Amino acid sequence: KCHMHIVHLSDAGSLDLIRETKSRHDTNLTVETCPHYLLLDSDSSTPMTVLTKCFPPIRDGVNRQKLWNDGIQPGLIDMIASDHSPCAPELRNKPFEEAWGGISGLQYQLPAILTAMKSSGIYADDDDMFISLAGLWSERPAQLVPGLAKVKGKLEVGMQADICVWNPDHVGKLADAAKEHHRWKGASAFLDMNLNGRVLATFV
């Protein structure tokens, strides 16, 4: 039987079909969504601009919460991926219909998803939240590639030491850490948002 992986799930209306399919073929279907679908919505106080233009599009707040309640919480959504899609500034500096479509800001994915988790309302406490974060970002993605989970996805003796050092208590805007923009400063969808957590170092 062939394994099927759904990428960039943004529409909570698809969850019923995913639930039905997983009930019959639970080892053959995996699903991912992205931080921007879990943090941003089209009817919030944050306006949709060329920085938030992506495919599939960001949807309304009701849809966003359903992704948490009906997708992440029961395990229908297996993992979270970045969908990092950067471009040169001149490709974004155009009218909305003509501008590049894709969310940029790979280095801010962890603060973005932690911020979304804290506001989701589905976690009993921080321990519950961080265990979920490790599964969604590390453990289950490593299981996608045959054999990869033997060396990646967990902090255990014998595993490759891919480690992120970060401060989960930090709250601030990206502009406050502007020197850390590694490419095309000002091109992130998460600009001017108060995000939770700050990456201090990465070891691979």
Side-chain angles (χ1 to χ4, degrees), residues 64-65 68-69 73 115-124 129:
R64 177 180 54 78
Q65 193 59 45
W68 282 110
N69 294 346
Q73 190 169 31
T115 304
M117 285 180 141
K118 283 181 173 290
S119 64
S120 69
I122 70 170
Y123 297 105
M129 182 175 63

Side-chain angles (χ1 to χ4, degrees), residues 138-139 142-143 147-163 203-204:
S138 298
E139 185 173 5
Q143 295 168 359
L148 189 63
K150 295 179 180 179
V151 294
K152 291 186 179 292
K154 294 181 179 180
L155 290 177
E156 290 183 355
V157 174
M159 306 289 276
Q160 293 182 2
D162 299 329
I163 300 172
F203 301 92
V204 294

Side-chain angles (χ1 to χ4, degrees), residues 50-135:
V50 293
L51 293 178
T52 53
K53 180 181 178 181
C54 57
F55 303 102
I58 292 168
R59 303 174 192 273
D60 63 29
V62 172
N63 180 87
R64 177 180 54 78
Q65 193 59 45
K66 284 184 177 180
L67 289 175
W68 282 110
N69 294 346
D70 302 336
I72 297 288
Q73 190 169 31
L76 291 181
I77 296 175
D78 301 277
M79 62 196 75
I80 297 173
S82 72
D83 189 24
H84 182 52
S85 181
C87 69
E90 58 266 24
L91 296 180
R92 285 196 199 274
N93 295 333
K94 296 181 178 183
F96 190 86
E97 294 78 7
E98 301 173 19
W100 177 274
I103 298 292
S104 181
L106 178 63
Q107 70 199 84
Y108 300 112
Q109 299 294 301
L110 193 53
I113 195 58
L114 179 63
T115 304
M117 285 180 141
K118 283 181 173 290
S119 64
S120 69
I122 70 170
Y123 297 105
D125 51 39
D126 283 354
D127 287 345
D128 185 31
M129 182 175 63
F130 287 125
I131 289 171
S132 176
L133 179 65

Side-chain angles (χ1 to χ4, degrees), residues 118 146 183 198:
K118 283 181 173 290
R183 195 174 190 188
R198 184 178 182 186

